[in-house]
Structure formats: structure tokens, C-alpha cells
Amino acid sequence: MTAPITLQMVLLLGGYLALVWGLAQPMGRWLAAVADGAPTRLRRVEAGLFRLCGIDATREQGWRGYALSLLLFNALGVVAVYALQRLQAVLPLNPQALPAVAPDSALNTAISFVTNTNWQGYAGESTMSHLTQMLGLGVQNFLSAATGIAVAFALMRAFARQGTGTLGSFPVDVVRITLYVLLPLSFVLALVFAGQGVIQNFSPDVSARLIEPWLQADGSTLTTQTLPMGPVASQEAIKMLGTNGGGFMNANSSHPFENPTPWSNLLQMVVIFLIPAGLCVAFGRMVGDRRQGHALLAAMTLLFVIAVLGIMAFEQSGNPKLAALGADTAASALQPGGNMEGKEARFGIAASALFAAITTAASCGAVNAMHASLTPLAGGIAMLLMQLGEVVFGGVGSGLYGMLLFAVLAVFIAALMTGRSPEYLGKKIEPAEMKRVSIALLVTPLLVLIGTAIAVSTDAGRAGLLNPGAAGLSEVLYAFSSAANNNGSAFAGLSANTPFYNTALGIAMALGRFAVIVPVLALAGALAARKRTPRETVVGNAAALPTHGPLFIVLLVLTVLLVGALTYLPALALGPVVEHINMIH
């Protein structure tokens, strides 16, 4: 029996985290500068865009105005992406002459990409034209990421400011985030990916002759293979940087045209965490205490390491039923051992398990291995990372503001237990703020559990199941966990491109995004208007809980785990846990 955790896994995880923490520092400094208004020397670049769009960069918005602008902007995005899909048959850049996308699938996809979920119930290379991929899905990859970062900026300003009713300007934030952060980084990344072998062209699909003909199950012989073409490198860059995750290809980052080498695989994994980690550093700089940002980053890292080691251990241990049948599942010089089902041989178990943890922790949804093939408990951990609220680094922006909600909750709980004053960063936390926090934290669990219950109790929901029993429940639970938490990955064992799932998952994605953002902005508005206790007073006040040390980091981690465990434990026990018991007995 092979060791559950190998030296390769430890070195890979350690090197990866060193890169993330190292890059988070300069990224955080730049994000803080953009949140403060961008360096003066760059203002001329944005001035023309503001004039063209009719944006007054000097006018700030209260939380209601900020939220209204955000909702209207994203509603227009849904309409635009839906229209492109429905009209793609008569629009240019459609070399495969693909027909219009079905109405229910088009609406689901439009909501998916606008909400930064990127759930895909279709095969991209055989469903979407090049124009739809670029002008519809690619553009929304930028704008949905900018929306999430803008909300994080608004909440950071709320903690930094005092006695004001404004949070900034949503249109200004979106322009600056896109112009100064997402576009330049994506341009560089696209060039690097293309250099690694990711394709970038406007060609129609290519038919290649097989070296050896393939005998199919029906007795016919296959002599050619269709190779999909398209502008992949440019979409791959923002797909990872913006924690979007929607692949140009149906196989996503397990496809060699999207992820051709171990170096491209490592770069994709690092890029996923780049902005979420950087935002923690930016938060510390914005509130004037860098220790606060590092405390959040440490809490995220601790949760992540626990999850990664769990997935790696279960995957390397493999399936005992295969060993009982005489299969050699031990690692050796000739084989990796463990569970290699559903994985690319060029990545192996360590890189695949790490990627699975990263993409479900970061609200990205890209995959380089099929999650349906993970061992039951490894898949359960990946599912739980989403169910925790996508706060273990999380999506760009959404990870930070989600973790800040838990930080406020942790401070409030600690105050009730110890009799201390419920304050966070000098801002007193009162019942009104806790109501907003509670609403934001309860939305996604309700969507996940109610959606799963409806799906497994109706004929339309059960019709999409490919596996019975606990495995089928896990598939449905994973789908709603992914949709409501705006992740987008799938177990790939559920036929979800049906009117029922396109509608139900579309509702979960929309509410999981905007029914959380609105309470977050309401919380930000209340905190921005509140006076901030001077730092000297907070440090010297024995009644206030310090929020930058190891004690608070542990308290924050336990709060996240307890909320997730208490909410989802019964459902997980009926799904992945039962699957695991069936596997070992």
C-alpha cells in the first residue's frame, strides 16, 4: 500500500504556496493603489473612456446607488450574452456554421458567465461560435471578475472610511479594474500560454487522419479525428485570472489545447489564487494595518492546506476494491499508484489533486481532471470547499468579502462568549449589521439544500441522474453547490443540459451572486457611515478582541468550519460518506 502523502506532494504544495504568498505582496500593493484611484500618471488613460461612457469620476455613490448600478449593468450583460447565442447562426466568425443555442441553455449560460459562475451545460467547441466565445463569454469573463473586485473595494473602503455615506463609484471601479488589472495581466498571460502551446487562431476545425484506425463499438472503423480550433489562449488567460473557469473546450484544462504542459498547469494554478490572495494584502493596506490582511490570508491558507492534504491522501490511497481484485495500486518507478481514473497521465495524482482543491476553493471551476472520478471523500472535500461559501481564497473579490462576513461573525460570537465589545477594525458591530451578515451567509445554503431536495424529489430532476443511490445524490448536491456558490465545476455525472436543470441552476446562480452582493453592500454602507475608533484606542482597549493574531485566525477558521459543517453535514453524510462506506466494504 502506497503512502497517502508523498514527498512530491509536499514539495509541490510548499512551492505553490510560496509562489502565491510571494506574488500576493506586489499584487496587493497594486490593487490597493487602484482602489485608491490609480496612480496620477495613469489618469489620462481613463479620461477618454469616462467621457465616452458619460461617467463622472468625481461623483461617488452610496450603497443603494452602487448596488443599483451593479444590478442594471449585469442585467444588460445577461441580455447581451443571451442575444449573441440566439443570433450566432447569422453572425460572423462562425466557421463551423453552428446553429443558434436553445433558449433554456442560452439563458442558463448568460446568467452563468455574468455571475462569474461559468457553469457549462454544453460542449463549447461544438456549441459556441468564435464570436460568441469572444464577444459574449470572453467579455463577461472580464466584467464579472471586475464586478466581484468592485464589491470587495467597496467593503474595504467601508472599513477604512468613517462618517461618510459613500463607497466609491461602481462604473469607475469597473473601468479601472479592467483597464489597470485584468487587461494587462491577461495580455501577458495569453502570450505566455500561447508560447506553451495553447492554440490561438480563427480557423475552422481541422480533420486529422489517425495513425491507427479505431474500431468502434458498433463495428465501424474511425479513421479521422476532428481537432477543434479557435482563440483559446486569450480566453484561457482571463478564465484563470478572473477565477471564471469556463473552458473553450468541453474537457476544460485537461485538454492539451488549453493546458499543454506541466508549466502551463502550474501557471494556471498560481494565477487562480493571484488576485484573491492579493486582495487580502490590499485590504490590510487600505485599513492601515497590514497584519489584518495577513491574518485573513493565513486563515485561508490553513483551510486550504487541510483540504489539499485530504484530497491528496484519499486519491493516493486509491480504491481498495481494485486492490482486492489483484490490481497493483502501489506507487513505483513504473506507475503512480493510487486513483488515476479520470486524470491526465502528464499531470498525475499530485498536480490533479492540487488543481481540484484550488479550483473549488477559489470559485474558479476550471478542471484538469474529472471530479466525478475522484474517490468519494476526495470529491466530498472538493464539494465542501464550495459549500463553505467560496471563502478559502474564493473568487476575485467574492472570496475577500465572503471571508470578511465570517470575520464579522467570528468577532460577534467571540464578544457574546467573553463579554468583550463586538468591534472589527474599530467599527462597532451592532444587530443591524449582523442581520445583513446573516442574510448574506444563509442565502447559498438555502439555495443548495432546497434546490437539491427539489431535484431528487421530482421526475424532471431524477431524469438527469446517471448513477443511482448515494452517487446520484452527490452529483445533484455538487451541481447546486457549484451553481449557488458561483463555482461552475461539475461532477460530470449529471445530464444537466435540460430545461429543468438549466432553469433551476440558473436561478441558483443569479440569487447566489446578487442576493449576497446586495446585503454585503448594505453592510458596507452602514460601516462607512460609522465612526472608526482610533487605532491607539483599539489596541489599548481590553474590551476589544484583537483581530490580527493567531487566536483570531483559529477563531475565524473554526467559525467557517462550524457554519459549513452544521449546515451541510447531513447531506454530505448521505452522499460522499455513504459512497466511501460502500467503497471500503
Side-chain angles (χ1 to χ4, degrees), residues 471-496:
L473 175 62
S474 295
E475 291 169 2
V476 177
L477 182 62
Y478 191 104
F480 279 95
S481 299
S482 179
N485 288 284
N486 302 131
N487 181 275
S489 65
F491 252 6
L494 180 70
S495 296

Side-chain angles (χ1 to χ4, degrees), residues 8-24 240 243 265-277 301 304-305 308 312 350-351 354-355 357-359 361-362 392-393:
Q8 178 199 8
M9 293 175 175
V10 174
L11 293 176
L12 178 62
L13 177 58
Y16 174 77
L17 289 175
L19 284 171
V20 170
W21 273 75
L23 293 172
M240 296 304 184
T243 63
N265 190 63
L266 177 61
L267 181 58
Q268 289 186 15
M269 292 191 292
V270 170
V271 167
I272 292 172
F273 274 4
L274 179 60
I275 293 179
T301 302
F304 177 70
V305 168
V308 172
M312 285 181 171
L354 179 58
F355 201 114
I358 292 167
T359 194
V392 185
F393 290 93

Side-chain angles (χ1 to χ4, degrees), residues 451-469 471-473 475-477 480 493-496 498-501 504:
T452 301
I454 293 173
V456 298
S457 61
T458 59
D459 292 337
R462 291 193 299 270
L465 294 176
L466 300 180
N467 295 297
L473 175 62
E475 291 169 2
V476 177
L477 182 62
F480 279 95
L494 180 70
S495 296
T498 65
F500 172 82
Y501 280 109

Side-chain angles (χ1 to χ4, degrees), residues 19-58:
L19 284 171
V20 170
W21 273 75
L23 293 172
Q25 308 308 314
M27 189 75 245
R29 288 195 294 270
W30 182 242
L31 287 168
V34 174
D36 279 334
T40 305
R41 64 181 181 276
L42 297 177
R43 297 290 176 84
R44 294 180 181 178
V45 179
E46 66 188 31
L49 287 174
F50 287 151
R51 285 195 299 269
L52 180 64
C53 300
I55 298 172
D56 183 359
T58 63

Side-chain angles (χ1 to χ4, degrees), residues 11 85 137 141 158 164 175 247 272 293 318 338 348 401 486 542:
L11 293 176
Q85 293 175 87
L137 310 186
N141 281 345
T164 178
V175 169
I272 292 172
Y401 65 69
N486 302 131

Side-chain angles (χ1 to χ4, degrees), residues 103-283:
D104 59 308
S105 179
L107 181 59
N108 177 278
T109 302
I111 295 172
S112 175
F113 277 78
V114 168
T115 59
N116 200 242
T117 309
N118 296 54
W119 172 271
Q120 295 177 287
Y122 59 89
E125 64 267 44
S126 60
T127 305
M128 303 294 180
S129 68
H130 294 349
L131 182 68
T132 303
Q133 293 267 26
M134 292 187 298
L135 187 58
L137 310 186
V139 168
Q140 281 305 317
N141 281 345
F142 283 94
L143 299 181
S144 64
T147 296
I149 299 173
V151 176
F153 279 4
L155 188 55
M156 287 192 290
R157 294 185 187 116
F159 282 108
R161 295 178 177 182
Q162 54 181 331
T164 178
T166 60
L167 300 173
S169 169
F170 175 74
V172 171
D173 284 341
V174 167
V175 169
R176 286 177 174 165
I177 291 164
T178 304
L179 189 61
Y180 302 136
V181 179
L182 299 178
L183 273 174
L185 285 176
S186 295
F187 180 77
V188 173
L189 284 170
L191 292 178
V192 175
F193 284 142
Q196 285 292 303
V198 180
I199 63 171
Q200 178 74 16
N201 57 56
F202 296 101
S203 304
D205 292 353
V206 174
S207 181
R209 181 172 295 278
L210 297 175
I211 297 176
E212 295 183 3
W214 181 263
L215 182 64
Q216 300 186 95
D218 60 2
S220 61
T221 301
L222 189 66
T223 59
T224 60
Q225 178 182 2
T226 300
L227 302 179
M229 296 286 111
V232 178
S234 55
Q235 185 160 317
E236 195 71 18
I238 187 59
K239 159 192 165 182
M240 296 304 184
L241 182 67
T243 63
N244 294 285
F248 193 98
M249 313 292 181
N250 187 39
N252 208 284
S253 286
S254 62
H255 198 292
F257 287 177
E258 284 200 34
N259 190 9
T261 69
W263 289 112
S264 69
N265 190 63
L266 177 61
L267 181 58
Q268 289 186 15
M269 292 191 292
V270 170
V271 167
I272 292 172
F273 274 4
L274 179 60
I275 293 179
L279 281 169
C280 293
V281 176
F283 174 72

